[in-house]
Amino acid sequence: MNKAHTEAFGVDPWKARIDRVFARALVLPLLLALGLLALLLGDTLYRSFSVQVVRADEGPGKTYPFGLSATETLRQDLLARGYTEEEVAFSLQDPKERQVLFLQNRVELMWNTQDGPFRYVVTGVYDERVADFSLAEGLRRWNELKANLKEGERLVLNPWLDQTFLTRTPSRSPLTAGIGVAIWGTVWVLSLALLLAIPVGIGTAILLEEYLREGRFSRVLEVNLRNLAGVPSIVYGLLGLALFVRGMGLGPTILAAALTLGLLGVPVIVVTAREALRAVPESLRLAAFALGATKRQVVFRVVVPAALPGMVTGVILSAARLIGEAAPLLLVGAAAYVPFMPTSPLSQYTVIPVQIYLWISQNQPEFARVAAAGILVMLMVLSVLYLLALYLRNHFRREW
Amino acid sequence: MEILKQRPSRHPAEVLTFVLLLLLSSVTLLTTLGVILSLLGDVVEFFRRVPLTEFLLAPEWTPLFANPRYGIAPLLAGTFLVTTIALLVAVPLGLMLAIYLSEYAESATRARVKGVLELFEGIPTVVFGYFALLVVTPLLQRVIPGLSIFNPLSAGLVMGFAIIPYISNVASDAMESVPRSIREAAYALGARPYEVALRVVFPAAISGIIAAIILATSRAVGETMIVAIAAGQRPALTLDPRETIATMTSYIVQAATGDQPTGSTAYYALFAVGFTLFALTLALNILAQWVVERYRERYE
């Protein structure tokens, strides 16, 4: 349309120039945003690798071939340290003992060691890091560093996001810190929160779209929802602290966190579910009524099934939003150091973003690398959710 | 649509469904009530111990000192500073993006750009905070001497980017709802595309645009993790963007992660700050709705 108009009349050259400049300038924010995203991703990725000179004070710090499982590697390492077969088998079968063992030993997937590429390294918890170099500097000085290694020191390329990072418990030492507890905490909190938010959100959406006539009550509900959507998430945290943690005496537990997060998720789900319901054409409802269906049958057998893909997409997107929430959970007691996996709704917990926040606030610079690895994990989880939502949206898109 | 809703039925199953839905939706009303009551009770207790004049006028916020002062001003100053910086970034960029989306982009491009914005919106703010502290601050420190490690400048800049989607979404919706006939009329008078965008569509959609800015302000005021990580946690009555400050939200995080014994004045102070934050964002949200309703241009 623009082009046709430009050529239909005589053109003032100045205006034409302004036009061109303006049209190009408009793409600037997009480029900036994309550049920022790329920088963010690149920096996180880059920072999650480092070259280290590590001195193992305990254990041989041996390397094991790539392809062994972490447990198998640890087993071989323990045997090499003089444990008997029975002791090792017992320790690795008992969950508590196993946890302690993994807490004390970091089984790392090292990309490169001075013994060759792609090896596992078992590192004692008492490892004293001699130096941590950024990827560029470390690789540049690789040969120099390798030549200067002292007795008992190893030169390693450390990918902080390795296999066992996903299953380890938090630790006060960056080398052995993992995100396992936070991942399970997130799974627990999120699924319980959705258990609350989905029925409430979708129920409210159905009520507003299918049942309520425009009137005072529907107006109150709508205004209230709009305001709730604008309440800062940290205020929900205060609500959770006063109501669930202290008021109901739940303490800093998964349940309290899930209730808080569930309430936070309701407005988002309502908005998306309403959109899905609104997209169902009127003719479908009329047809169902014409066949003699009751109101309930029309809504729950015709309209809701037709709107379901849209609703599911909306729920996935709100789940993605909720996964990233750290502020309210800091208030309802996501703890800094939870060494055990959650086992019930009344367990202590921590979640991924809170764990990342706590790592960022640590003084030791290596924790920034651990945080970077954690962020990569979170971004991976989020991209899976977004791709899923995108797939659902495209796969079930229907023209009425 | 409305006519379909007017089908009263006395059948028990129908009534039961309706009641069930009412019960579910009442949770949203109870949430609001819960927020207000849970805050209000503790706020009242706070003001029983600390006079309102102290809260409003004292120049320091030091609830954990031996001789505590409870003046909200430093926290408000910090919040104001970060919000202003964020808006200086987000408003121009967000509006440019909105104009691009509604006036210039082809529909396929528009869908793709909106996808990117959705992605941007989905990035947890912890990640943005990390980015501000570890990437943006070191970069700025090379340019600006005397910049603290924790500073409102980099927190505000990064937060500006984080809230661009809120502005561009609402503003481009408002601009897209300006009818085509008005654009065509302008073109018929010989206007250039940029004139149509800036002098016709933009003013016609102004209520939506202002609402978008107000909503983004509310978002920036309530944003927590970026400021808690990158702006610091030292309340100071300053407008110097190089100094470490604290905002209302970052104070709440700080106070909540260090254990406050229930019943101490510092514990109640948490809720006083939270209530101020709640009232402020609520006022902004209501203002935005009012602007939209009051100044909306209606087209036939």
Side-chain angles (χ1 to χ4, degrees), chain B residues 65-135:
Chain B
F65 284 17
N67 187 12
R69 299 296 305 272
Y70 298 96
I72 189 84
L75 296 181
L76 282 177
T79 303
F80 174 77
L81 191 57
V82 175
T83 304
T84 309
I85 296 170
L87 289 179
L88 286 178
V89 175
V91 170
L93 292 181
L95 291 184
M96 279 166 82
L97 206 53
I99 293 177
Y100 173 75
L101 281 175
S102 83
E103 305 300 309
Y104 282 80
E106 308 282 326
S107 69
T109 327
R110 186 184 307 166
R112 227 168 285 150
V113 171
K114 286 204 165 172
V116 172
L117 288 179
E118 208 169 273
L119 209 71
F120 220 76
E121 230 181 301
I123 292 181
T125 47
V126 172
V127 179
F128 280 119
Y130 166 92
F131 185 68
L133 179 66
L134 292 175
V135 181

Side-chain angles (χ1 to χ4, degrees), chain B residues 156-236:
Chain B
L157 287 178
V158 172
M159 194 204 285
F161 274 95
I163 59 176
I164 283 178
Y166 293 104
I167 294 192
S168 67
N169 274 342
V170 182
S172 73
D173 281 351
M175 287 165 55
E176 272 162 40
S177 68
V178 172
R180 197 185 159 86
S181 57
I182 292 190
R183 292 190 181 87
E184 311 229 307
Y187 280 122
L189 292 173
R192 310 281 315 168
Y194 82 93
E195 289 173 308
V196 173
L198 288 182
R199 299 212 194 143
V200 178
V201 177
F202 198 85
I206 195 71
S207 68
I209 290 166
I210 291 175
I213 295 172
I214 298 173
L215 287 177
T217 312
S218 159
R219 208 36 89 145
V221 167
E223 209 297 312
T224 307
M225 295 319 288
I226 300 176
V227 283
I229 293 170
Q233 303 185 333
R234 201 173 62 210

Side-chain angles (χ1 to χ4, degrees), chain A residues 27-44:
Chain A
V27 195
L28 186 76
L30 201 62
L31 293 180
L32 277 176
L34 284 178
L36 197 81
L37 267 184
L39 183 62
L40 198 161
L41 208 63
D43 180 81
T44 316

